[in-house]
Amino acid sequence: MGIEAALTADSFLTTQLRRVVNWARRSSIWPMPFATACCGIELMATACSRYDVARFGAEAMRFSPRQADLLIVAGRVAIKTLPVLQRIYLQMAEPRWVISMGACASTGGVFDTYAVVQGVDQFIPVDVYIPGCPPRPEMLIEGIMAIQRIIDQEGMPPPGGKRAPLGIALQPSYVPKPQPVGLSVGS
Ligand code: SF4
């Protein structure tokens, strides 16, 4: 980390227990991917070398809910799938976090039909909403960082780990650019 270069081998540091515990917590988020559709591909890309979610300590994807504390819902959720999602959420470790990734998970997206859940937050608490169809991996990383910032700021986890969902909605980072003028096809 570089700090060892500035300190002698016999040096010591003092800090608060809260800071050490929260540093460890935010640096070891274990996600549980619930990827049902195309947003899942962007979720997978987040773990590849180009984006490397390991830089944020959140690369240990667990497929066992009891070993995970961050549920990432990526894609549309069918009514028939909903009980599975709820059971996974209830089996996860406390304190647990939920990211709703993409338009389908947050609102049903373009699938305004009887068979698709019109927003998973109607059935499980959601901490961070990520817009987009699909959101880019950078947006998912920003969502994870939003949770890390909250963990950094908060005190020790409450007894039992229960807490209120954050309800953070990330702002889209895309800025539309004007079309180049005077450009003709084939010139
Ligand atoms: S938001 Fe778009 S990319 Fe994501 S699951 Fe829905 S249709 Fe696919």
Side-chain angles (χ1 to χ4, degrees), residues 77-116:
V77 177
I79 296 287
K80 280 189 173 180
T81 318
L82 186 59
V84 179
L85 176 65
Q86 287 179 308
R87 175 165 293 201
I88 287 174
Y89 173 77
L90 291 174
Q91 287 181 341
M92 286 171 54
E94 289 275 14
R96 56 196 168 205
W97 313 86
V98 178
I99 290 179
S100 175
M101 181 181 178
C104 285
S106 299
T107 67
V110 297
F111 302 97
D112 187 7
T113 74
Y114 67 91
V116 174

Coordinates of all heavy atoms in Angstrom, one line a residue, residues 77-116:
V77 N -37.4 -10.2 -14.0 CA -37.8 -11.2 -13.0 C -39.2 -11.6 -13.4 O -40.1 -10.8 -13.3 CB -37.7 -10.8 -11.6 CG1 -38.1 -11.9 -10.7 CG2 -36.2 -10.4 -11.3
A78 N -39.4 -12.9 -13.7 CA -40.8 -13.4 -14.0 C -41.5 -13.7 -12.7 O -40.9 -13.9 -11.6 CB -40.7 -14.6 -14.8
I79 N -42.8 -13.6 -12.7 CA -43.6 -13.9 -11.5 C -43.3 -15.3 -11.0 O -43.2 -15.4 -9.8 CB -45.1 -13.8 -11.9 CG1 -45.5 -12.4 -12.3 CG2 -46.0 -14.3 -10.7 CD1 -45.6 -11.4 -11.2
K80 N -43.0 -16.2 -11.9 CA -42.7 -17.6 -11.4 C -41.4 -17.6 -10.7 O -41.1 -18.5 -9.9 CB -42.7 -18.6 -12.6 CG -44.1 -19.0 -13.0 CD -44.0 -20.1 -14.0 CE -45.4 -20.7 -14.3 NZ -45.3 -21.8 -15.3
T81 N -40.5 -16.7 -11.1 CA -39.1 -16.7 -10.5 C -39.1 -16.0 -9.2 O -38.1 -16.1 -8.4 CB -38.1 -16.0 -11.5 OG1 -38.4 -16.5 -12.8 CG2 -36.7 -16.4 -11.1
L82 N -40.1 -15.2 -8.9 CA -40.1 -14.3 -7.8 C -39.9 -15.0 -6.4 O -39.1 -14.6 -5.6 CB -41.4 -13.5 -7.7 CG -41.4 -12.4 -6.6 CD1 -40.3 -11.4 -6.8 CD2 -42.8 -11.7 -6.7
P83 N -40.6 -16.2 -6.2 CA -40.3 -16.9 -4.9 C -38.9 -17.3 -4.7 O -38.4 -17.3 -3.6 CB -41.2 -18.1 -5.0 CG -42.3 -17.7 -6.0 CD -41.6 -16.8 -7.0
V84 N -38.2 -17.6 -5.8 CA -36.8 -18.0 -5.7 C -35.9 -16.8 -5.3 O -35.1 -16.9 -4.4 CB -36.3 -18.5 -7.1 CG1 -34.8 -18.9 -7.0 CG2 -37.1 -19.7 -7.6
L85 N -36.2 -15.6 -5.9 CA -35.5 -14.4 -5.6 C -35.7 -14.1 -4.1 O -34.8 -13.7 -3.4 CB -36.0 -13.3 -6.4 CG -35.3 -11.9 -6.1 CD1 -33.9 -11.9 -6.4 CD2 -36.0 -10.8 -7.0
Q86 N -36.9 -14.2 -3.6 CA -37.2 -13.8 -2.2 C -36.6 -14.8 -1.3 O -36.0 -14.4 -0.2 CB -38.7 -13.8 -2.0 CG -39.4 -12.6 -2.6 CD -40.9 -12.6 -2.4 OE1 -41.6 -13.6 -2.7 NE2 -41.5 -11.5 -2.0
R87 N -36.5 -16.1 -1.6 CA -35.9 -17.0 -0.8 C -34.4 -16.8 -0.7 O -33.8 -16.9 0.4 CB -36.2 -18.5 -1.3 CG -35.4 -19.5 -0.4 CD -35.9 -20.9 -0.7 NE -37.3 -21.0 -0.1 CZ -37.9 -22.2 0.2 NH1 -37.2 -23.3 0.0 NH2 -39.1 -22.3 0.6
I88 N -33.8 -16.5 -1.8 CA -32.3 -16.2 -1.8 C -32.1 -15.0 -1.0 O -31.1 -15.0 -0.1 CB -31.9 -15.9 -3.3 CG1 -31.8 -17.3 -4.1 CG2 -30.5 -15.3 -3.3 CD1 -31.5 -17.1 -5.5
Y89 N -32.9 -13.9 -1.1 CA -32.7 -12.7 -0.3 C -32.8 -13.1 1.2 O -31.9 -12.6 2.0 CB -33.7 -11.7 -0.6 CG -33.7 -10.5 0.3 CD1 -32.7 -9.5 0.2 CD2 -34.6 -10.3 1.3 CE1 -32.6 -8.4 1.0 CE2 -34.5 -9.2 2.2 CZ -33.5 -8.3 2.0 OH -33.4 -7.3 2.9
L90 N -33.7 -13.9 1.6 CA -33.9 -14.2 3.0 C -32.8 -15.1 3.6 O -32.5 -15.0 4.8 CB -35.3 -14.9 3.2 CG -36.5 -14.0 3.0 CD1 -37.8 -14.8 3.1 CD2 -36.5 -12.8 4.0
Q91 N -32.2 -15.8 2.7 CA -31.1 -16.7 3.1 C -29.7 -16.0 3.2 O -28.8 -16.6 3.8 CB -30.9 -17.9 2.2 CG -32.1 -18.9 2.3 CD -31.9 -20.1 1.4 OE1 -31.2 -20.0 0.4 NE2 -32.6 -21.2 1.7
M92 N -29.6 -14.8 2.7 CA -28.3 -14.1 2.7 C -28.0 -13.6 4.1 O -28.8 -13.4 4.9 CB -28.4 -12.9 1.7 CG -28.3 -13.4 0.3 SD -28.6 -12.1 -0.9 CE -27.4 -10.9 -0.4
A93 N -26.7 -13.4 4.3 CA -26.1 -12.9 5.5 C -26.5 -11.5 5.8 O -26.6 -10.7 4.9 CB -24.6 -13.1 5.6
E94 N -26.8 -11.1 7.0 CA -27.0 -9.7 7.4 C -25.6 -9.1 7.9 O -24.8 -9.8 8.5 CB -28.0 -9.7 8.6 CG -29.4 -10.0 8.2 CD -30.1 -8.8 7.7 OE1 -29.5 -7.7 7.4 OE2 -31.4 -8.8 7.6
P95 N -25.4 -7.8 7.7 CA -26.2 -6.9 7.0 C -26.0 -7.1 5.5 O -24.9 -7.3 5.0 CB -25.7 -5.5 7.4 CG -24.3 -5.8 7.8 CD -24.3 -7.2 8.4
R96 N -27.1 -7.2 4.7 CA -27.1 -7.5 3.3 C -27.6 -6.3 2.5 O -28.3 -5.4 3.0 CB -27.9 -8.7 3.0 CG -29.4 -8.5 3.5 CD -30.1 -9.9 3.5 NE -31.3 -9.8 4.2 CZ -31.9 -10.7 4.9 NH1 -31.4 -11.9 4.9 NH2 -33.1 -10.6 5.5
W97 N -27.1 -6.3 1.3 CA -27.4 -5.1 0.4 C -28.0 -5.7 -0.9 O -27.8 -6.8 -1.3 CB -26.1 -4.4 0.1 CG -25.3 -4.1 1.3 CD1 -24.4 -5.0 1.9 CD2 -25.3 -3.0 2.1 NE1 -23.8 -4.4 3.0 CE2 -24.4 -3.2 3.1 CE3 -26.0 -1.8 2.1 CZ2 -24.2 -2.2 4.1 CZ3 -25.8 -0.8 3.0 CH2 -24.9 -1.1 4.1
V98 N -28.7 -4.8 -1.6 CA -29.4 -5.2 -2.9 C -29.2 -4.1 -3.9 O -29.4 -2.9 -3.6 CB -30.9 -5.4 -2.7 CG1 -31.5 -5.8 -4.0 CG2 -31.2 -6.5 -1.6
I99 N -28.7 -4.5 -5.1 CA -28.6 -3.6 -6.2 C -29.6 -4.1 -7.3 O -29.6 -5.3 -7.6 CB -27.2 -3.6 -6.8 CG1 -26.2 -2.9 -5.9 CG2 -27.2 -2.9 -8.2 CD1 -24.8 -2.9 -6.4
S100 N -30.4 -3.2 -7.7 CA -31.3 -3.4 -8.9 C -30.7 -2.9 -10.1 O -30.6 -1.7 -10.3 CB -32.7 -2.8 -8.6 OG -33.5 -3.0 -9.7
M101 N -30.2 -3.8 -11.0 CA -29.4 -3.4 -12.1 C -30.2 -3.4 -13.4 O -30.7 -4.4 -13.8 CB -28.2 -4.4 -12.2 CG -27.3 -4.0 -13.4 SD -25.9 -5.2 -13.5 CE -25.1 -4.7 -14.9
G102 N -30.4 -2.2 -14.0 CA -31.1 -2.1 -15.2 C -32.5 -1.8 -15.1 O -33.2 -2.0 -14.1
A103 N -33.1 -1.4 -16.3 CA -34.5 -1.0 -16.3 C -35.4 -2.1 -16.0 O -36.5 -1.9 -15.3 CB -34.8 -0.4 -17.7
C104 N -35.1 -3.3 -16.4 CA -36.0 -4.4 -16.2 C -36.2 -4.8 -14.7 O -37.3 -5.0 -14.2 CB -35.6 -5.7 -17.0 SG -35.9 -5.6 -18.7
A105 N -35.0 -4.8 -14.0 CA -35.1 -5.2 -12.6 C -35.8 -4.1 -11.8 O -36.6 -4.4 -10.9 CB -33.7 -5.4 -12.1
S106 N -35.6 -2.9 -12.2 CA -36.2 -1.7 -11.4 C -37.6 -1.4 -11.7 O -38.4 -1.0 -10.9 CB -35.3 -0.5 -11.6 OG -34.0 -0.7 -11.2
T107 N -38.0 -1.6 -13.0 CA -39.3 -1.2 -13.4 C -40.1 -2.2 -14.3 O -41.2 -2.0 -14.7 CB -39.3 0.1 -14.2 OG1 -38.6 -0.1 -15.4 CG2 -38.5 1.2 -13.4
G108 N -39.4 -3.3 -14.7 CA -40.0 -4.2 -15.7 C -39.6 -3.8 -17.1 O -39.8 -4.6 -18.0
G109 N -39.0 -2.6 -17.2 CA -38.5 -2.2 -18.6 C -39.6 -2.2 -19.6 O -40.7 -1.8 -19.3
V110 N -39.2 -2.7 -20.8 CA -40.2 -2.7 -21.9 C -41.2 -3.9 -21.7 O -42.1 -4.0 -22.5 CB -39.5 -2.8 -23.2 CG1 -38.6 -1.6 -23.5 CG2 -38.7 -4.1 -23.3
F111 N -41.0 -4.7 -20.7 CA -41.8 -5.9 -20.6 C -43.0 -5.6 -19.6 O -43.0 -6.1 -18.5 CB -41.0 -7.1 -20.1 CG -39.8 -7.4 -21.0 CD1 -38.6 -6.9 -20.7 CD2 -40.0 -8.1 -22.1 CE1 -37.5 -7.1 -21.6 CE2 -38.9 -8.4 -23.0 CZ -37.7 -7.9 -22.7
D112 N -43.9 -4.8 -20.1 CA -45.1 -4.4 -19.3 C -46.1 -5.5 -19.5 O -47.2 -5.2 -20.2 CB -45.5 -3.0 -19.8 CG -46.6 -2.5 -18.9 OD1 -46.9 -3.1 -17.9 OD2 -47.2 -1.5 -19.3
T113 N -45.9 -6.6 -19.0 CA -46.8 -7.8 -19.2 C -47.2 -8.4 -17.8 O -46.5 -8.1 -16.8 CB -46.2 -8.9 -20.0 OG1 -45.2 -9.6 -19.2 CG2 -45.5 -8.3 -21.3
Y114 N -48.2 -9.2 -17.9 CA -48.7 -9.8 -16.6 C -47.6 -10.8 -16.0 O -47.7 -11.1 -14.9 CB -50.0 -10.6 -16.9 CG -49.8 -11.8 -17.8 CD1 -49.5 -13.1 -17.3 CD2 -49.9 -11.6 -19.2 CE1 -49.3 -14.1 -18.2 CE2 -49.7 -12.7 -20.1 CZ -49.4 -13.9 -19.5 OH -49.2 -15.0 -20.4
A115 N -46.7 -11.3 -16.8 CA -45.8 -12.3 -16.4 C -44.5 -11.8 -15.8 O -43.7 -12.5 -15.2 CB -45.4 -13.2 -17.6
V116 N -44.3 -10.5 -15.9 CA -43.0 -9.9 -15.5 C -43.2 -9.0 -14.3 O -44.1 -8.1 -14.3 CB -42.3 -9.1 -16.6 CG1 -41.0 -8.4 -16.1 CG2 -42.0 -10.1 -17.7

